[in-house]
Amino acid sequence: YQINDNFQVYGKYAEAYRTPSLFESTRGWSAVPSISDPLNPEHAKTKEIGVNYQGNNLFGQGDLLRAKVAYFDNNIDDYITRKTSGGYNFVNIDSARMRGWEVSLDYDRGSFFGKLSLSKYLETEYCDVDGDCSSGGTSGGYAHLHVPPAQSVSLTLGGRFLEEKLELGARVTYIGERASIDFTGITGGTNQSVNWEPYTTIDLFGSYQINDQVSFDMAIDNLMDQYYMDSLTIGLMPSPGRTVRVGLTATF
């Protein structure tokens, strides 16, 4: 609903089915399909409500501000995951649910620009057919490996110089702990989870438009050489340290 030229309120409801993948429905080292209990397709029901804003000339001539605040509630019936039950089998559990908030701000006035985005998960829940629910997943399953960070924030600030041919900027990213670490009796062996510590990284970037056909790009990722395990990693391998990238692009 368009309240005025700047504000919009919206709502969204969607449903979708996902059939079992070959990995989930065929025999392998990780699981054995159950002939007597075949897998049903997942049935996702997603809901989202939010507010959009877009305005011009708020803090200077020709600037643009865009903002969005949204609440989401995603529920998946017959969620497919692995479960320990006299062996490893892929099964349909009753449901999986994730809900939370997303916020984004985007400001650009030509010589200066900035972007802020954040997400906050309020709940993660996985419920078995017997009514037993956990925020972390199922015993012997893989769901816990995909539980996202409870909160994440990214802030980008930059400027344009030399008639906007030169662009320089920095990005700060914060990743919080998992939305759930309720993994009692769930993990072990081949599905051991990696619980990362909250971390903050700083990246620098820049580009220069030499002419209409050639541009030069440079970036420094993880400027402070932070030692951290990436969120949702499934391997005991730290993320890259300070990394410098240089590129030259030509179109013709």
Side-chain angles (χ1 to χ4, degrees):
Y1 178 75
Q2 197 75 30
I3 299 175
N4 54 38
D5 292 340
N6 304 111
F7 281 98
Q8 178 190 71
V9 178
Y10 73 93
K12 176 184 177 181
Y13 177 80
E15 295 191 23
Y17 284 92
R18 185 185 76 85
T19 57
S21 67
L22 285 175
F23 174 68
E24 295 164 334
S25 58
T26 56
R27 184 186 182 97
W29 66 268
S30 59
V32 177
S34 174
I35 303 301
S36 61
D37 190 17
L39 293 174
N40 297 318
E42 292 181 346
H43 186 186
K45 303 173 183 178
T46 62
K47 292 172 281 186
E48 181 179 337
I49 57 173
V51 177
N52 291 324
Y53 173 84
Q54 180 170 308
N56 298 91
N57 306 319
L58 298 177
F59 306 104
Q61 187 64 31
D63 70 356
L64 172 65
L65 174 65
R66 290 177 293 185
K68 176 182 178 180
V69 178
Y71 169 80
F72 62 88
D73 189 344
N74 301 331
N75 191 83
I76 303 174
D77 293 332
D78 289 326
Y79 184 79
I80 299 173
T81 187
R82 196 177 72 166
K83 184 180 178 182
T84 303
S85 180
Y88 287 122
N89 304 101
F90 277 101
V91 299
N92 293 108
I93 62 173
D94 185 66
S95 64
R97 184 187 185 192
M98 292 187 181
R99 62 184 185 92
W101 290 91
E102 292 180 341
V103 178
S104 65
L105 294 171
D106 194 344
Y107 178 75
D108 197 323
R109 61 177 302 170
S111 61
F112 170 80
F113 60 91
K115 184 174 183 179
L116 173 68
S117 61
L118 62 90
S119 65
K120 171 68 176 179
Y121 279 82
L122 302 176
E123 180 184 29
T124 62
E125 185 179 61
Y126 301 86
C127 292
D128 210 340
V129 291
D130 58 6
D132 185 23
C133 296
S134 168
S135 60
T138 59
S139 176
Y142 293 122
H144 65 282
L145 300 176
H146 309 293
V147 176
Q151 57 271 327
S152 60
V153 183
S154 177
L155 173 64
T156 301
L157 297 174
R160 301 183 182 95
F161 312 91
L162 303 177
E163 298 179 345
E164 299 190 0
K165 293 182 179 180
L166 175 64
E167 181 177 292
L168 299 173
R171 178 174 51 254
V172 180
T173 303
Y174 169 77
I175 301 296
E177 60 187 10
R178 282 188 193 269
S180 171
I181 54 173
D182 180 19
F183 299 155
T184 303
I186 292 176
T187 68
T190 59
N191 70 337
Q192 182 66 44
S193 64
V194 178
N195 295 323
W196 69 85
E197 295 291 333
Y199 59 88
T200 301
T201 59
I202 301 175
D203 305 321
L204 301 181
F205 61 88
S207 64
Y208 181 72
Q209 191 71 37
I210 299 174
N211 53 44
D212 291 340
Q213 289 77 38
V214 181
S215 63
F216 173 80
D217 301 280
M218 182 175 180
I220 303 176
D221 298 332
N222 195 1
L223 176 67
M224 306 307 293
D225 203 24
Q226 175 77 27
Y227 181 89
Y228 68 99
M229 304 294 289
D230 197 15
S231 62
L232 297 180
T233 184
I234 58 175
L236 292 174
M237 178 67 69
S239 297
R242 185 184 299 113
T243 305
V244 178
R245 295 181 287 110
V246 178
L248 187 69
T249 302
T251 58
F252 50 87

